[in-house]
Amino acid sequence: MVALAATLAACSSGDDDSFANAGSTATLAVLETTDLHFNVRSYDYFKLADDSSYGFERTATLVRAARKEFANTLLVDNGDTIQGTALADYEATISPIPCTQQLSMYKAMGALGFDAGTLGNHEFNYGLPFLNQVLGGGLDVDGVDATQKCAGSGYPAVLANVYSNKTKKPLVQPYTILERTLIAKSVDGKEVKLPIKVGVIGFTTPGILNWDKRYLDGKVYTEGAVESAQKYVPEMRSKGADIVVALLHGGLDSTAYSPTMENPGLHLTKVAGIDAMVMGHQHGVFPDTAATPAFTQAGVDNKAGTINGVPAVMASSWGKALGVIQLALKWDGSKWVVDKTASKSELRNIQSKNAAGTTVYVTPDAAVAQLVESQHQAAIQYVKTPIGSTDFRMSTLFADVGDPGAIQIVNQAQQAYVADYLKANLPQHASLPVLSVSAPFKSGFQGGADYTDVAVGPLAINNAADLYLYPNTVYAVKVNGTDIKTWLESVAQRFNRIDPAKATEQQLISTFPGYNFDMFTTADVQYEIDVTQAVGSRIKNLTYLGKPLNEAQEFVIATNNYRATSGKTILGKLDGTATIWASPDANRDVVIEYIRKNPKVTRAANGAAKSWRFTKVSIAGPVVFSSGANALTVAQTAGLTNVSLLATDDGSGKGMSKYAIDLSK
Ligand code: MN
Ligand code: MG
């Protein structure tokens, strides 16, 4: 009788008659931002200049346009949201945002109204008490006041695969079920309103336990995304979720599944009950309509915009794109069913070319900039604080071909910091030589402006942040001579194999990331890289203090938390077991402190020590690479006389010039 009464009540309410409206269809547009990295404004705090190519203030405009276009939208954020700019550091560590106020990033997102979001690895970079505060409270984990109530993010955070050791429960709620009303079309073409329950579940990369060990060790543990999904997706369904949207702060990797894998997207889509998946972390794009798409693994369909048949997106980073999944839904009289084959996904970029071929950008949403203006100005003042001066232009424009100009000071700072610490605190290692490696973190991946480039003159905090892009922390690892050789061989993958007989042009730089191209910058260590040899056989004449490096000799190497825990990527030993000290201090702050103590930075003392050069070899044709536009004088003043400018425009459309290097010189 109760059920009958309910049906009758429903029947009498016209458009809300769910039963009579069986067969109605609707489109739900799932809108994704990912890896915003606190880029609220289209602004580069290192260069103190606007940069229209990124920024949530422009993505916001795309969100508003999509909401006009689609009657039903769901806006989700996929994590790596609260870290990444000077404004982020300012609000986390320099002038910590009070409990009563939202982070500027969340405030800006609030102007649009997000429905849900998950956490990326970088959400853990400032520790659990800070995360608890900015999420609004409620994290029941050691070291955190779980009763604290703060302003929060403004939308529900979901994360299914990180657990509190204290409670053995998920650190934040694993999923949320959002109750919404969809505007649908009935079989006879009328507009009808029908209820929907949208389940949203989140997953982050288990690497957090290594990368932020100092904050998380003994406090939280992780589970594989697949295991968490298998546990919670059926639970969401049983609680009435019509559809399930997975927010994966991870991407795609074709290797076999393991619960600690960084990018399990291909495996997660095979868990029954997931209707759509938004991805991130890799800062890549999916679907990708380019001639050579970013992702091409089995199961990836760039045309349909599906991964193993599941509609999916990965919306780049820094607000450069908005992911849009159009889920085709059908009401069967009691619940919504997704027609995956009729669904589609796409990316909408803030940057495009107009009919004349000129690059144009989406207009910023004025409301967003206004919300963060005072904090934005405060962050600019913070990064302008002078700490020293330099007598040379410190750049990574030619770091790939041997200029140590922006890397040596990082190595000097890290080396001194670790050596001092060992002497004072780890006497058992204090007799070992301390060396340091670092890499050109900015090496043109995002275009001709994406290089560390510090002008002659005063050095301020923004310059130190340019010299060290990431908020990594200093780690010290103990390795031997053989390990150093393996390490250098591994990072020499930065270069393609060059065929000496080939008469046509050959590209020197491979797709191996520049931020992994570790190098020494000291007279004590010398080596050659022979790019005509296969990967693994390129390092030649490796010496320490003028003698061939002794394979058994032990060294301490100063590096960063990512490298020390990168494992197989670089050197098997870098799985945490070689770490003798995981410092709590950011490499960037160590560089800032070093400059404060040594404020007169000079080319001779801080930017001229080359540890490596290319092995001399004659190549029949040109060996070429791209770098910042018209920057040949930078190579020349660094003493790289074998570099020449081939074309002022390399054709990439990214503001880069094409250079040649004469490897015979
Ligand atoms: Mn990220
Ligand atoms: Mg990430």
Side-chain angles (χ1 to χ4, degrees):
M1 277 311 290
V2 171
L4 181 61
T7 306
L8 287 173
C11 280
S12 63
S13 63
D15 276 356
D16 291 319
D17 183 353
S18 20
F19 182 74
N21 284 315
S24 295
T25 55
T27 299
L28 174 62
V30 178
L31 312 177
E32 180 209 29
T33 58
T34 190
D35 297 86
L36 289 171
H37 283 284
F38 222 116
N39 287 284
V40 179
R41 299 286 318 276
S42 299
Y43 188 83
D44 185 334
Y45 292 94
F46 305 135
K47 294 193 184 305
L48 299 173
D50 290 324
D51 187 333
S52 307
S53 67
Y54 56 81
F56 178 71
E57 60 178 321
R58 289 172 204 271
T59 341
T61 302
L62 295 177
V63 171
R64 291 205 203 275
R67 282 183 174 155
K68 275 197 188 131
E69 181 180 344
F70 302 106
N72 308 297
T73 58
L74 185 82
L75 179 58
V76 295
D77 180 72
N78 201 34
D80 277 6
T81 312
I82 70 166
Q83 172 281 332
T85 60
L87 178 55
D89 285 342
Y90 179 76
E91 294 193 349
T93 61
I94 304 303
S95 178
I97 199 93
C99 171
T100 52
Q101 279 180 40
Q102 283 187 298
L103 282 178
S104 289
M105 187 72 244
Y106 287 144
K107 220 171 162 184
M109 293 164 82
L112 276 298
F114 275 67
D115 292 287
T118 191
L119 307 183
N121 48 303
H122 286 289
E123 262 63 65
F124 296 90
N125 285 169
Y126 301 115
L128 290 168
F130 183 76
L131 181 62
N132 180 61
Q133 179 195 315
V134 299
L135 290 181
L139 268 58
D140 197 359
V141 63
D142 282 344
V144 168
D145 174 10
T147 64
Q148 189 189 27
K149 290 276 172 285
C150 297
S153 57
Y155 56 84
V158 292
L159 186 61
N161 69 325
V162 177
Y163 290 75
S164 164
N165 278 27
K166 184 179 163 191
T167 64
K168 312 283 181 239
K169 288 181 181 144
L171 183 66
V172 303
Q173 60 178 338
Y175 58 82
T176 185
I177 297 175
L178 304 167
E179 299 193 24
R180 299 286 189 265
T181 300
L182 285 188
I183 297 173
K185 196 188 259 183
S186 68
V187 280
D188 53 7
K190 276 197 305 180
E191 185 184 294
V192 289
K193 288 181 180 167
L194 292 162
I196 185 169
K197 287 185 178 173
V198 181
V200 184
I201 182 168
F203 312 92
T204 198
T205 177
I208 57 169
L209 289 187
N210 295 324
W211 300 325
D212 283 306
K213 189 175 180 146
R214 67 201 180 286
Y215 292 135
L216 304 181
D217 204 19
K219 297 193 172 77
V220 303
Y221 58 96
T222 63
E223 191 174 64
V226 165
E227 288 80 0
S228 299
Q230 284 167 342
K231 179 161 47 179
Y232 291 117
V233 172
E235 192 177 304
M236 295 161 80
R237 293 281 181 187
S238 74
K239 286 187 183 169
D242 293 286
I243 65 168
V244 170
V245 178
L247 314 185
L248 172 65
H249 188 82
L252 303 172
D253 176 343
S254 59
T255 59
Y257 179 73
S258 91
T260 54
M261 81 187 292
E262 194 169 346
N263 297 297
L266 285 162
H267 306 282
L268 185 61
T269 47
K270 290 182 179 163
V271 176
I274 292 177
D275 297 301
M277 177 174 73
V278 307
M279 301 180 286
H281 181 61
Q282 291 173 313
H283 294 201
V285 291
F286 180 82
D288 188 356
T289 50
T292 47
F295 299 108
T296 54
Q297 294 93 336
V300 173
D301 188 334
N302 278 288
K303 213 169 163 196
T306 56
I307 310 288
N308 293 318
V310 174
V313 283
M314 188 191 293
S316 188
S317 63
W318 297 15
K320 283 177 272 189
L322 179 71
V324 180
I325 301 175
Q326 294 181 48
L327 279 180
L329 301 173
K330 197 167 191 176
W331 178 253
D332 73 358
S334 64
K335 64 179 189 303
W336 289 99
V337 181
V338 176
D339 181 353
K340 285 181 185 165
T341 56
S343 300
K344 54 185 172 186
S345 55
E346 62 179 306
L347 293 191
R348 297 180 176 185
N349 299 311
I350 64 169
Q351 179 178 334
S352 60
K353 295 248 192 233
N354 67 12
T358 312
T359 301
V360 291
Y361 303 96
V362 164
T363 310
D365 184 307
V368 169
Q370 212 172 13
L371 280 170
V372 303
E373 181 57 17
S374 59
Q375 289 293 91
H376 172 62
Q377 293 303 336
I380 288 171
Q381 286 314 309
Y382 153 62
V383 298
K384 280 181 175 171
T385 312
I387 52 172
S389 68
T390 174
D391 79 347
F392 72 106
R393 181 175 172 183
M394 307 170 82
S395 98
T396 56
L397 285 157
F398 295 93
D400 276 330
V401 294
D403 179 9
I407 298 171
Q408 188 180 349
I409 196 155
V410 173
N411 277 331
Q412 289 174 314
Q414 293 180 169
Q415 195 278 342
Y417 175 77
V418 168
D420 286 352
Y421 184 86
L422 294 195
K423 243 180 265 157
N425 302 294
L426 292 172
Q428 69 273 35
H429 300 302
S431 62
L432 299 178
V434 179
L435 299 170
S436 176
V437 291
S438 193
F441 295 112
K442 296 167 82 178
S443 51
F445 182 72
Q446 319 247 19
D450 181 28
Y451 289 91
T452 297
D453 196 2
V454 178
V456 175
L459 279 172
I461 285 166
N462 70 303
N463 302 129
D466 196 9
L467 289 167
Y468 206 103
L469 179 64
Y470 297 111
N472 293 342
T473 50
V474 177
Y475 272 43
V477 295
K478 191 172 86 171
V479 297
N480 62 29
T482 303
D483 298 327
I484 289 176
K485 173 100 181 336
T486 305
W487 192 330
L488 293 175
E489 288 285 6
S490 176
V491 300
Q493 291 178 76
R494 177 65 177 159
F495 305 108
N496 290 319
R497 187 172 184 178
I498 300 300
D499 177 357
K502 203 168 171 184
T504 51
E505 199 172 275
Q506 297 184 71
Q507 284 289 344
L508 180 64
I509 310 297
S510 75
T511 55
F512 183 83
Y515 55 72
N516 280 339
F517 181 38
D518 283 335
M519 61 183 79
F520 295 98
T521 53
T522 166
D524 293 353
V525 181
Q526 294 289 307
Y527 52 102
E528 290 175 10
I529 299 175
D530 186 346
V531 291
T532 67
Q533 301 302 307
V535 167
S537 312
R538 293 176 162 182
I539 303 301
K540 291 187 171 167
N541 300 323
L542 175 56
T543 62
Y544 175 64
L545 299 178
K547 296 197 187 99
L549 181 67
N550 176 349
E551 292 181 354
Q553 185 176 356
E554 290 190 314
F555 295 86
V556 172
I557 311 250
T559 177
N560 64 61
N561 55 318
Y562 275 81
R563 187 71 75 255
T565 58
S566 60
K568 282 181 289 192
T569 320
I570 305 290
L571 166 69
K573 247 186 201 181
L574 298 178
D575 57 0
T577 55
T579 302
I580 58 164
W581 182 40
S583 96
D585 291 325
N587 303 64
R588 185 190 289 167
D589 292 335
V590 166
V591 172
I592 290 170
E593 283 314 304
Y594 186 83
I595 295 172
R596 283 194 167 119
K597 280 185 205 146
N598 307 273
K600 286 206 183 313
V601 174
T602 65
R603 170 72 87 174
N606 310 103
K610 297 184 175 85
S611 273
W612 66 276
R613 56 156 299 133
F614 292 113
T615 300
K616 284 187 187 176
V617 54
S618 287
I619 311 293
V623 175
V624 303
F625 63 97
S626 291
S627 185
N630 299 314
L632 187 61
T633 53
V634 177
Q636 288 165 341
T637 52
L640 300 169
T641 51
N642 56 346
V643 173
S644 58
L645 178 67
L646 274 193
T648 53
D649 182 351
D650 75 346
S652 67
K654 290 160 83 179
M656 303 177 90
S657 288
K658 184 158 122 184
Y659 300 88
I661 181 164
D662 182 349
L663 292 174
S664 72
K665 289 185 180 153

